[in-house]
Amino acid sequence: MTQVNPYDLLIVGAGPAGLSAAVEAAGHDLRVAVVDEFPEPGGRMIGQFHEEKGHWWVGRQVAEQLLDRCSALGVKIRCGASVHSILRSDDVWVLKTSEGSMQARNVLLATGSAEIPHPLPGWTLPGVMSIGAAQVMANVHYVKPGRRGLIIGVNVLAMAISQELSVSGVSIAGIVLPGIGPITGKEASPKESLQQLMGLAHLAPSPLMRIGGKAVNALGMAGLVSRFIPRSGIKIWDIPLRLRTVAVSINGRSQVQSVTLADVNGEGAVIPGSHREELVDFVAIAGGLYPLAELASVAGCPFVYAEELGGHVPVHDEQMRTPVEGLYVAGNITGIESALVAMAQGRLAAATICADAGLLGQHHEREVLEAMQHVRRVRATALIQFRPGIQEAREQFYRKWGGFQREKHGIKEQG
Amino acid sequence: MDRIENHPILGPRKSAREPVDFTFNGEKVAGLKGEPIAAALLAAGIRTLRRHEESGSPRGLYCSIGHCMECRLNVQGKGLVRACLTPLEAGMYISEGERLPNEITGRRLP
């Protein structure tokens, strides 16, 4: 598949950000290709659905609409191809993929995110998987991850996917905390988890608000919070959310047979003598997401650690440019947010790429500004917020890091 | 593991997939053409896709989207592949990822 005439824009990642950018850029007559290593396009969106104001938001339908528009606009989509190298030479990017090399004047990295594991004894047993894997198996491949499972980790993904699995007829024994360890840190304590959950109250208003209302006063007062969390947990969509229970180990000979659970106090310390076994045939670990950004690093882009954005992110400005000429980013590679924000970012990145290529004429500033304001609006009204304070974190990030000068070859270190 | 025939929210799978046979560790297994090898094996109740190269302990699918590399196994003619990303074809001859001899790993484990 070695092609001679370079594309105007090559997008890595056929998820919500990448496909939205492809539609926008192809609509401005750019020659666009999208490459993705998953066998079918759509990204993780094709396995997502949730209830929203009384109806179901189904990610697969949104992806199909984007794919229809891509196909009408002549966007080339190459699935099942892994990109393993990205190099710029003579103003053209050369990407080596498992299916041959591809060339383009501009590259948009929309590679999304990967999952953070919570390692614990027994976590390498077959039947232990990331929460996203359970989602992909059930909602994309239509194979149940198991008959009865336990979710370890309390966060947006855990809550949303537990509900999805439950709807598919998979029995969920409960959602429990990971034990406090060097990787999980303080997020594994009941207090921190509850604080995180408050950001989700709109997803399951009644049970969370009930417990949350009482707990809010207690947050910050060590130990008191546990008083408000019953040991049996609270039920959300019929799934027991056990904020006073941790997973101690996963047990089984050749695959998962049970999980040893224990109760903890408000600070996350295990209460002696509270250990017992829960029989399950699969375990899903929900450690949260981090930006999947290796290709940006290979391309020579500098990185910054931003906790609220989910980890190390490539330096970029609010228009989605990186300091490397011809290299742009959109979606979760820039920070962990929902699919709708990623779509808005994709459109913004495409507008910026068109503006930088001189295609938008005298209106370029207005078009980019409008796309930027759209991202802010979507972010402000997002139903699913992975991290509290994302809006402020973004503003701070762009103030501090967005003012770089682009370098033609490679980049200078910041600061 | 059970397949989901008609998902309560997503409905049935849009494009029906043709049933095919393949071989895993010498046994005949049934799956659907085009689904990832890992999905076909899970549907057939097979969770162990690989033995750890050093310890020989069983390993299975972990991330399901090609990031973690835990599900690598051997497909005749293709070599070592990620089971979660590789589409199943009729008659594929598949074997689990193998434990390597100590002469290769250089380490002695009990």
Side-chain angles (χ1 to χ4, degrees):
Chain A
M1 197 172 77
T2 304
Q3 118 272 354
V4 186
N5 193 9
Y7 289 102
D8 295 321
L9 173 61
L10 179 55
I11 299 170
V12 185
L19 292 181
S20 301
V23 168
E24 185 75 23
H28 281 101
D29 295 329
L30 290 190
R31 271 184 74 235
V32 182
V34 187
V35 61
D36 195 301
E37 72 174 341
F38 202 68
E40 60 178 313
R44 298 288 63 78
M45 193 161 61
I46 57 175
Q48 295 168 355
F49 60 89
H50 63 258
E51 212 170 352
E52 199 178 292
K53 295 176 192 129
H55 77 281
W56 288 92
W57 180 90
V58 177
R60 182 175 279 278
Q61 289 167 2
V62 179
E64 277 164 4
Q65 286 160 11
L66 286 170
L67 288 166
D68 285 348
R69 293 178 64 193
C70 280
S71 131
L73 289 162
V75 173
K76 167 143 180 82
I77 298 179
R78 183 74 182 83
C79 283
S82 310
V83 177
H84 49 76
S85 149
I86 169 169
L87 265 176
R88 192 171 168 89
S89 106
D90 297 335
D91 290 344
V92 173
W93 286 105
V94 181
L95 276 74
K96 295 273 165 61
T97 85
S98 54
E99 306 296 313
S101 102
M102 297 174 90
Q103 297 184 14
R105 295 188 202 289
N106 297 288
V107 167
L108 171 63
L109 297 178
T111 41
S113 54
E115 286 190 67
I116 304 165
H118 280 314
L120 73 159
W123 81 300
T124 59
L125 278 171
V128 182
M129 63 194 80
S130 73
I131 187 84
Q135 181 186 48
V136 168
M137 273 298 153
N139 302 348
V140 178
H141 304 318
Y142 281 43
V143 178
K144 292 183 184 179
R147 295 202 169 87
R148 185 166 195 268
L150 187 86
I151 315 294
I152 301 177
V154 177
N155 52 43
V156 186
L157 276 190
M159 306 292 295
I161 299 176
S162 299
Q163 187 199 18
E164 291 171 8
L165 291 172
S166 179
V167 163
S168 308
V170 176
S171 162
I172 303 295
I175 305 174
V176 303
L177 295 170
I180 293 184
I183 293 181
T184 54
K186 62 183 174 141
E187 270 182 31
S189 83
K191 211 164 84 180
E192 291 291 330
S193 302
L194 193 59
Q195 220 154 12
Q196 261 223 347
L197 282 182
M198 294 315 295
L200 300 179
H202 51 276
L203 281 179
S206 48
L208 273 180
M209 289 315 274
R210 227 170 26 239
I211 195 110
K214 290 184 208 161
V216 159
N217 299 322
L219 289 172
M221 295 159 78
L224 280 189
V225 68
S226 60
R227 199 182 291 169
F228 302 107
I229 308 170
R231 197 165 286 196
S232 56
I234 40 179
K235 281 209 165 183
I236 298 182
W237 306 298
D238 277 335
I239 301 161
L241 175 63
R242 302 185 192 165
L243 290 175
R244 290 191 57 184
T245 306
V246 294
V248 176
S249 66
I250 303 168
N251 319 306
R253 192 185 290 273
S254 60
Q255 59 179 46
V256 175
Q257 287 167 326
S258 71
V259 179
T260 303
L261 301 175
D263 293 331
V264 290
N265 65 22
E267 294 301 301
V270 170
I271 296 167
S274 64
H275 293 70
R276 73 269 184 191
E277 263 188 81
E278 180 84 45
L279 297 179
V280 291
D281 69 350
F282 81 98
V283 170
I285 295 181
L289 300 169
Y290 68 90
L292 187 69
E294 291 95 331
L295 282 175
S297 176
V298 175
C301 185
F303 278 69
V304 174
Y305 182 78
E307 194 185 350
E308 294 87 349
L309 301 185
H312 288 91
V313 295
V315 169
H316 62 282
D317 63 15
E318 195 171 355
Q319 292 84 6
M320 307 279 109
R321 289 182 196 97
T322 74
V324 181
E325 191 175 335
L327 187 73
Y328 300 80
V329 284
N332 272 0
I333 188 176
T334 72
I336 305 305
E337 295 188 75
S338 71
L340 292 180
V341 176
M343 289 167 68
Q345 287 181 315
R347 288 196 287 274
L348 168 57
T352 303
I353 291 164
C354 292
D356 289 354
L359 288 172
L360 301 183
Q362 55 183 8
H363 303 300
H364 68 99
E365 276 182 15
R366 206 185 63 210
E367 276 206 40
V368 172
L369 188 66
E370 278 173 6
M372 214 158 85
Q373 284 163 344
H374 180 63
V375 172
R376 290 184 196 161
R377 271 197 308 276
V378 174
R379 179 174 293 134
T381 56
L383 185 67
I384 295 173
Q385 280 200 351
F386 285 85
R387 296 258 184 173
I390 185 85
Q391 191 97 358
E392 298 72 34
R394 286 281 189 191
E395 280 167 24
Q396 236 175 44
F397 185 94
Y398 295 131
R399 259 201 312 276
K400 190 164 179 195
W401 301 106
F404 51 77
Q405 291 289 314
R406 279 202 154 185
E407 296 270 324
K408 204 148 174 76
H409 297 291
I411 34 88
K412 267 188 203 156
E413 282 297 314
Q414 298 262 332
Chain B
M1 239 19 81
D2 303 332
R3 288 188 184 273
I4 299 165
E5 298 301 337
N6 191 359
H7 193 286
I9 308 298
L10 306 175
R13 182 196 286 285
K14 269 224 161 144
S15 47
R17 285 179 156 165
E18 178 196 339
V20 291
D21 287 334
F22 64 102
T23 306
F24 181 73
N25 284 353
E27 306 277 331
K28 198 173 114 177
V29 186
L32 301 177
K33 187 178 171 185
E35 71 180 343
I37 292 170
L41 289 171
L42 180 61
I46 297 167
R47 286 201 188 273
T48 299
L49 306 179
R50 178 180 136 247
R51 303 280 161 184
H52 188 265
E53 284 76 358
E54 283 193 333
S55 68
S57 63
R59 297 299 167 97
L61 173 98
Y62 184 78
C63 81
S64 198
I65 53 172
H67 295 166
C68 76
M69 312 282 160
E70 278 293 285
C71 66
R72 50 196 191 267
L73 41 63
N74 295 295
V75 175
Q76 203 171 66
K78 289 181 189 286
L80 207 58
V81 299
R82 287 171 283 181
C84 70
L85 292 184
T86 309
L88 182 70
E89 295 163 25
M92 265 184 168
Y93 197 85
I94 304 169
S95 57
E96 65 185 21
E98 287 174 321
R99 182 181 191 175
L100 301 175
N102 287 354
E103 297 85 71
I104 295 176
T105 65
R107 237 175 89 180
R108 266 179 203 287
L109 290 168

